[in-house]
Structures are given as C-alpha cells and as structure tokens.
Amino acid sequence: MSLTADGPEAQEALFEKAAEHVPPNLKRATLRLEFPPSYVLVGVYRLFTDKSLYKPAWDKCKHATRRGAIVGTIWARFAFLTFSIQKTFIELFLANSPRIIGLSRDTMFGYKIPFNVHTYAAIMILGSQITQILRFFLNKNIRIARDRAWDQTVASRGKGPDFWQPYVEEWENPPKIEMESAGQKFTDKWLGGWFGLFVIKRILLSPFQVYPFVGMAVSAWFKALGTSHFLHRRYFESKKMTKQQVAVFMEERKWDYRVFGFTAALLEGIPIIGLVFTVSNRVGAAMWAHDLEKRQHFVAEERLHARASPGSRKTE
C-alpha cells in the first residue's frame, strides 16, 4: 500500500493547498486536523471537565471498579510477598535478552534513573496484573461507557445521525489497495478481530513492558494503526463505509492515524489509569471524526459546485 507522494510532507502539502479556499467556519477544524494527537489531549480534558461525560461513565463503572479494586488490593498484597522472587526472575530474563542501546541497569542514555530496571519491570508487571483484574470486572460496563462517551460527544456538537453522509473520495488519484491478496485476507481473518488484538497486545508486545519508558513507546508504536482503526470504528460504521473505502481512507491519512493511534495507545498502556484513557480516547476520536466529516461535507459541496459550474476550480 503505497502512495506516489508518501509521508507526512505529502499530507502537509495537501492541507496547505486545501486551506487556501476553505470557508471561515472550517478554518479552526482545518488547523486541528493538521495535528491529530491534539484530539487525544482534548479528549482527556473534556472527560475530566465535562460533567455530561464523566458522570455517566463513572455511574456505569463505579461498582465494578470498587469490586476490582478490592480484589486488586488483595492480589497486590500477595504479590508484595513474592516481589523479590518476581524481581529475581526478571533479572534472569533481562540477563538473557538483547540489550537496548542507551539502557543499562541503573542509567538511561547516560542519565541515572531513580530506580533500577529490575525494580521498574517488577512494578510494571504488578501494575499490569492489577489492570487485568480491573478490566475483568469492568469488561462489559466500560464498553458501554465508551460507547456512551462517543454518543454524548457527538450530541454535544449538535449533530444527529443524518450528519454522517456517504463517503466522498477527496483525492484525485487515491492509492490502490489490494483487498483480495492472500496477505490481506490473513490479516483480516486472524489479526483484525479480538484474537489478533489479544495476540499482539497481550503476548507479542508484553516483553516490551519490562523496559523503562522505551518499552511503552515501542509497544504503542506497534499498536498505533490498530488502535486508531478501532477508535474510529463507529465513524466508519456511521458512514456505512466498505472495507475498501476504509482502507483507502486510512491509507490517505496513514501518518495522521499513526500519530493519533500512537498517542492514544501510549496513554492506554499506562497501568491502571490507562483504563480511564480508553474512555477519553473515545471522546477525542469522536471529535476528530466530527472534523473529518465537516471536511467531507466541504469536499462534497465543492464537487457539486464544480459540476454545476464547469469553469469553477477543483477542490484538489
């Protein structure tokens, strides 16, 4: 899946060209679209400051959170008794693993860190275990809270179901995506669903969490596109987009989706409190989808105007 003009520079040029004649009501949206990670941060801000968002989410999750916290506390006390055993196991694991450049037992890129790598890894593993306990109790309720956060965010923008219009291709020469290749079929069948997410997130990327900071960043980078695709699932469904349209749409904005997904996955990867960010990321994703849809409307109107007036300029 490649473009003739690939990379962030091509997308920046596209935005600059499009911004030359956008109407005033789209200026702010166009500026926000130039830096997708801002939607992740705005999502966090809105979740923590907007009562219409955080109250329904907490009301839905508070009882399960309390039960999970009780079990997690009991588990943490047990794990504390075996902390030295876990730390010894991690020392053996790291001693037989490839070293990361710039990372030693007590320093990172030459700077002394306030804890050694083995202590950090043991704490991170314990935090991940408690996170899994909380996720077990919150499983159903937090899914409902995320969907409600999306719906409430869209409603707060004054938009209804009719706001989401059919997909409009914005590029004159869209990338060619081979959806019927053997590799694509394998990816869709085995890596596109819950099984693939489980294998990637819980098995293949789990060893990275033992490395301070670097491990979280590496893990988030590998999960970036999958996370962003998952967060915009509701957007694609609302527009009734086909798999081919979704693939082309994401390929055209792959650097936007990558940096957005990286930021979102980085926050979700933080033990325990990362569960909160799984809700705030839905808020940010909904706000990004709202701005993307406004641009879709603009392009559709420009195309209609161009067909009605053959001499008028094209949008691309």
Side-chain angles (χ1 to χ4, degrees):
M1 297 188 293
S2 61
L3 300 178
T4 303
D6 203 359
E9 294 82 4
Q11 293 214 349
E12 288 176 7
L14 176 66
F15 275 119
E16 290 172 1
K17 190 174 181 179
E20 293 175 359
H21 55 277
V22 297
N25 64 320
L26 284 181
K27 289 288 186 182
R28 293 181 62 184
T30 302
L31 290 174
R32 289 192 296 267
L33 287 170
E34 291 183 2
F35 190 62
S38 64
Y39 291 100
V40 177
L41 304 180
V42 172
V44 175
Y45 173 79
R46 285 206 59 188
L47 180 64
F48 281 89
T49 59
D50 191 338
K51 189 175 182 180
S52 66
L53 290 173
Y54 69 74
K55 189 177 186 302
W58 174 243
D59 288 344
K60 188 64 182 176
C61 297
K62 60 183 178 182
H63 298 299
T65 301
R66 289 166 183 165
R67 292 193 295 269
I70 292 172
V71 176
T73 301
I74 296 173
W75 175 261
R77 290 188 175 183
F78 170 77
F80 180 77
L81 298 176
T82 61
F83 188 80
S84 59
I85 299 176
Q86 293 187 52
K87 190 175 177 182
T88 301
F89 174 79
I90 292 169
E91 289 179 2
L92 293 173
F93 173 78
L94 292 178
N96 293 280
S97 301
R99 290 185 177 274
I100 293 181
I101 297 175
L103 182 65
S104 66
R105 190 177 188 278
D106 300 301
T107 63
M108 178 179 292
F109 300 105
Y111 294 95
K112 188 172 181 59
I113 52 180
F115 44 77
N116 61 46
V117 174
H118 307 138
T119 301
Y120 170 89
I123 293 173
M124 287 294 292
I125 290 176
L126 175 59
S128 297
Q129 292 169 350
I130 296 176
T131 301
Q132 292 303 319
I133 292 173
L134 288 169
R135 183 176 281 112
F136 172 80
F137 284 94
L138 285 167
N139 186 28
K140 181 180 178 180
N141 290 350
I142 201 169
R143 285 204 309 268
I144 296 174
R146 292 167 187 157
D147 287 337
R148 288 179 178 175
W150 175 283
D151 294 335
Q152 183 58 38
T153 302
V154 173
S156 70
R157 312 293 284 184
K159 308 301 180 183
D162 57 339
F163 173 66
W164 312 106
Q165 298 183 5
Y167 171 70
V168 177
E169 177 53 57
E170 299 179 18
W171 287 29
E172 289 185 347
N173 299 299
K176 304 297 182 182
I177 309 296
E178 295 293 337
M179 298 297 295
E180 300 300 324
S181 64
Q184 187 66 39
K185 289 181 178 179
F186 175 82
T187 300
D188 291 341
K189 182 176 181 180
W190 296 107
L191 301 182
W194 68 268
F195 176 77
L197 291 175
F198 176 82
V199 170
I200 294 174
K201 291 183 177 182
R202 311 297 174 209
I203 300 177
L204 297 182
L205 297 180
S206 58
F208 286 110
Q209 69 181 342
V210 303
Y211 297 101
F213 311 116
V214 177
M216 289 182 61
V218 171
S219 179
W221 182 254
F222 278 107
K223 292 186 288 186
L225 284 177
T227 299
S228 58
H229 181 277
F230 180 75
L231 289 173
H232 262 182
R233 176 181 54 84
R234 292 282 302 275
Y235 176 51
F236 302 141
E237 291 175 353
S238 298
K239 290 178 68 66
K240 297 180 173 59
M241 294 172 65
T242 65
K243 288 184 177 181
Q244 177 74 26
Q245 290 172 337
V246 171
V248 171
F249 188 83
M250 290 192 64
E251 177 68 12
E252 292 171 345
R253 299 159 183 81
K254 66 180 178 181
W255 289 103
D256 290 345
Y257 273 105
R258 190 178 292 278
V259 294
F260 173 83
F262 170 78
T263 308
L266 193 64
L267 293 182
E268 292 184 9
I270 301 175
I272 303 175
I273 63 173
L275 293 172
V276 178
F277 294 130
T278 64
V279 180
S280 68
N281 283 339
R282 293 298 179 92
V283 178
M287 297 183 70
W288 188 21
H290 175 267
D291 286 345
L292 287 170
E293 186 64 11
K294 287 173 68 176
R295 172 158 175 80
Q296 284 266 293
H297 291 187
F298 168 67
V299 172
E301 291 171 2
E302 287 285 286
R303 295 276 169 81
L304 287 174
H305 180 71
R307 284 197 292 267
S309 304
S312 64
R313 63 170 175 259
K314 296 182 179 180
T315 59
E316 299 293 341

